[in-house]
């Protein structure tokens, strides 16, 4: 997987160098030339071209990259729900002029009601910020940032000492995003900090969600299971937005300025609620569809890097069947219909390929600085 990640990273660099940052469409000769430089054979180029073509016949290198990251199986054979999960990524620029209908946000939150939580405790509170309230919150957060005040969250979101694998993933993300994607030198701390400024403008998103949970139980008592439940909610909201073609971006910066949030929101955000994070939702700029045209995709751990396959029956490993059903259900519909099964058929094996495909798609859930602690 390290070789695949390096290939994807080199691929991004070559495409952006050839077209310029922000450009996506190229002709067939340019596309083939770059892939030849990557020493990719003609057979793969032929398949890649098919997946890189958009509906209007133009070649999109971001569409090609999405196919590479999700894997050929995810792009071609997997059910629609898994393909959408595999294509999820963070959006870094939203169209502030294009409103997100209230009905869509409600639909996404409605779908999230089916999530599992510890003993059905459902510890979450979601505060939806839009319009003038969003503008006030944005303005006050920008004032803090411009004054050099980065704030401080009420909980730690990273360990002081990471295991080697997590640190490697975080370092790789920093290199990919800041150095390769944004063109910033590692030593340019001022330039890097300035790149955080759009976060305090919600990256232009017209709707912002603030995810909260009980402060006493999560921080004072230290019930870590609450954060597990909150992560489930966060992922479901991001996937629900993605299924509608909306972009989403997790923002810990909002938790660091929980005091500003309380000042603006007043009684709606009392002291007994912990601000876990913010979540910006909106339509990506330029009419980009995040389901087929990724913004930036960081390298993810391979399935075999975070999964330990214990000695398995050879018969189970050889079974090659797909899950039942047509696989055409939309992702939000699947989230809404999810529930716990209390009786399973032990006589019917679940093929390893299906387990691997589910885990492969799940690689694109968000984690702090792409640390992927699992």
């Amino acid at each position: 997987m390290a070789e695949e990640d390096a290939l994807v990273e080199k691929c991004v660099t070559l495409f952006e160098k050839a077209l310029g940052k922000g450009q996506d469409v190229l002709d067939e000769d340019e596309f083939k030339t770059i892939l030849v430089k990557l020493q990719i054979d003609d057979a793969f180029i032929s398949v890649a071209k098919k997946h890189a073509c958009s509906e209007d016949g133009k070649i999109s290198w971001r569409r090609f990259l999405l196919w590479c990251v999700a894997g050929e199986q995810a792009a071609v054979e997997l059910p629609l729900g898994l393909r959408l999960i595999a294509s999820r990524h963070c959006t870094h620029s939203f169209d502030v002029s294009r409103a997100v209908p209230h009905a869509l946000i409600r639909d996404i939150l409605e779908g999230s009601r089916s999530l599992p939580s510890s003993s059905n405790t459902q510890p979450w509170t979601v505060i939806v910020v839009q319009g003038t309230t969003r503008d006030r919150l944005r303005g006050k957060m920008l004032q803090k940032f411009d004054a050099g005040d980065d704030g401080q969250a009420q909980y730690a979101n990273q360990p002081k000492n990471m295991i080697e694998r997590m640190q490697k993933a975080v370092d790789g993300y920093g290199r990919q995003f800041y150095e390769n994607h944004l063109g910033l030198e590692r030593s340019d701390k001022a330039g890097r900090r300035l790149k955080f400024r759009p976060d305090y403008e919600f990256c232009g998103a017209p709707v912002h969600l603030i995810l909260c949970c009980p402060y006493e139980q999560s921080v004072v008592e230290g019930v870590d299971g609450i954060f597990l439940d909150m992560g489930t909610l966060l992922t479901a909201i991001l996937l629900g937005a993605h299924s509608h073609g909306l972009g989403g971006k997790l923002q810990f910066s909002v938790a660091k300025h929980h005091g500003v949030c309380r000042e603006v929101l007043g009684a709606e955000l009392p002291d007994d609620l912990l601000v876990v994070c913010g979540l910006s939702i909106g339509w990506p700029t330029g009419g980009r569809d995040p389901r087929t045209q990724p913004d930036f995709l960081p390298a993810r751990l391979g399935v075999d890097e975070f999964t330990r396959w214990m000695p398995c029956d050879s018969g189970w490993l050889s079974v090659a069947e797909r899950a039942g059903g047509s696989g055409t259900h939309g992702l939000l519909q699947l989230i809404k219909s999810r529930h716990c099964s209390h009786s399973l058929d032990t006589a019917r094996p679940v093929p390893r390929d299906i387990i691997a495909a589910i885990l492969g798609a799940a690689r694109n859930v968000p984690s702090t600085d792409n640390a992927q602690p699992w």
Side-chain angles (χ1 to χ4, degrees):
M1 282 307 300
E3 291 181 2
E4 292 177 17
D5 291 341
L7 179 62
V8 169
E9 189 172 330
K10 187 175 180 182
C11 182
V12 172
T13 301
L14 285 172
F15 278 122
E16 290 193 333
K17 184 177 180 181
L19 298 175
K21 293 188 183 299
Q23 301 301 311
D24 181 41
V25 178
L26 68 168
D27 62 37
E28 185 174 342
D29 289 338
E30 290 175 314
F31 182 67
K32 186 172 181 179
T33 298
I34 291 176
L35 294 193
V36 168
K37 285 183 180 179
L38 294 168
Q39 298 182 326
I40 294 174
D41 60 46
D42 289 341
F44 184 87
I45 290 175
S46 177
V47 177
K49 179 185 152 187
K50 179 176 70 173
H51 294 291
C53 283
S54 56
E55 289 74 9
D56 57 7
K58 296 179 180 178
I59 295 179
S60 159
W61 72 261
R62 285 189 173 87
R63 192 180 180 97
F64 161 71
L65 182 59
L66 178 61
W67 175 68
C68 286
V69 173
E72 185 176 353
Q73 293 292 322
V76 181
E77 299 176 20
L78 293 184
L80 176 60
L82 274 185
R83 276 180 276 155
L84 287 170
I85 293 173
S87 65
R88 194 220 67 82
H89 60 282
C90 286
T91 296
H92 295 89
S93 179
F94 298 92
D95 186 348
V96 70
S97 67
R98 187 179 177 189
V100 177
H102 167 262
L104 279 189
I105 299 297
R106 187 173 188 86
D107 193 34
I108 293 166
L109 295 175
E110 188 73 32
S112 301
R113 293 174 57 231
S114 65
L115 297 174
S117 61
S118 303
S119 299
N120 198 38
T121 48
Q122 306 169 72
W124 42 74
T125 296
V126 180
I127 300 174
V128 182
V129 180
Q130 184 268 346
T132 56
T133 305
R134 169 208 173 272
D135 294 343
R136 285 179 57 221
L137 182 59
R138 166 187 170 275
K140 288 186 176 293
M141 288 183 64
L142 276 175
Q143 286 178 6
K144 291 284 188 180
F145 179 82
D146 291 341
D149 183 354
D150 292 331
Q152 184 173 352
Q154 294 175 288
Y155 72 99
N157 74 327
Q158 281 190 347
K160 292 180 179 179
N161 298 303
M162 293 193 191
I163 61 172
E164 182 181 354
R165 194 196 70 187
M166 288 174 63
Q167 189 63 59
K168 183 179 177 181
V170 171
D171 292 343
Y173 170 74
R175 184 179 65 254
Q176 284 181 292
F177 186 63
Y178 293 105
E179 296 176 33
N180 297 347
H181 185 65
L182 298 178
L184 293 169
E185 296 294 333
R186 181 179 291 270
S187 59
D188 186 4
K189 293 183 178 180
R192 288 191 173 208
R193 186 179 188 279
L194 193 59
K195 288 296 181 182
F196 285 121
R197 195 175 192 274
D199 283 354
Y200 295 85
E201 300 179 283
F202 309 131
C203 298
V207 177
H208 191 78
L209 309 185
I210 301 176
L211 276 56
C212 308
C213 65
Y215 176 84
E216 179 77 19
Q217 289 73 19
S218 59
V219 178
V220 180
E221 292 184 26
V223 181
D224 295 332
I226 291 177
F227 287 98
L228 177 65
D229 294 339
M230 295 303 296
T232 304
L233 174 71
L234 167 65
T235 301
I237 292 174
L238 284 170
L239 292 175
H242 188 62
S243 71
H244 277 297
L246 288 161
K249 189 175 191 298
L250 166 66
Q251 294 184 231
F252 184 62
S253 53
V254 174
K256 292 196 291 186
H257 284 292
H258 59 92
V260 174
C261 295
R262 297 184 202 283
E263 179 185 346
V264 172
L265 300 176
E268 296 299 330
L269 182 53
D271 290 339
D272 62 1
L273 283 181
L274 170 74
V275 175
V276 176
C277 67
L279 183 56
S280 292
I281 294 179
W283 306 103
T285 53
R288 182 175 61 83
D289 186 337
R291 295 167 295 190
T292 57
Q293 297 172 287
D295 176 1
F296 168 77
L297 285 167
R300 305 292 194 187
L301 293 171
V303 170
D304 289 334
E305 290 181 279
F306 65 79
T307 306
R308 300 181 182 182
W309 300 97
M310 303 308 292
C312 303
D313 296 338
S314 58
W316 180 68
L317 294 174
S318 65
V319 174
E321 73 174 61
R322 293 294 172 191
S326 64
T328 58
H329 295 299
L331 184 54
L332 190 57
Q333 182 181 350
L334 291 173
I335 293 172
K336 288 180 178 179
S337 64
R338 194 223 65 83
H339 60 280
C340 289
S341 296
H342 298 280
S343 179
L344 304 174
D345 187 350
T346 57
R348 186 180 180 189
V350 179
R352 179 187 186 278
D353 285 353
I354 292 180
I355 300 298
I358 293 169
L359 294 173
R363 295 186 307 153
N364 280 329
V365 299
S367 61
T368 304
D369 289 336
N370 198 41
Q372 305 166 76
W374 38 79

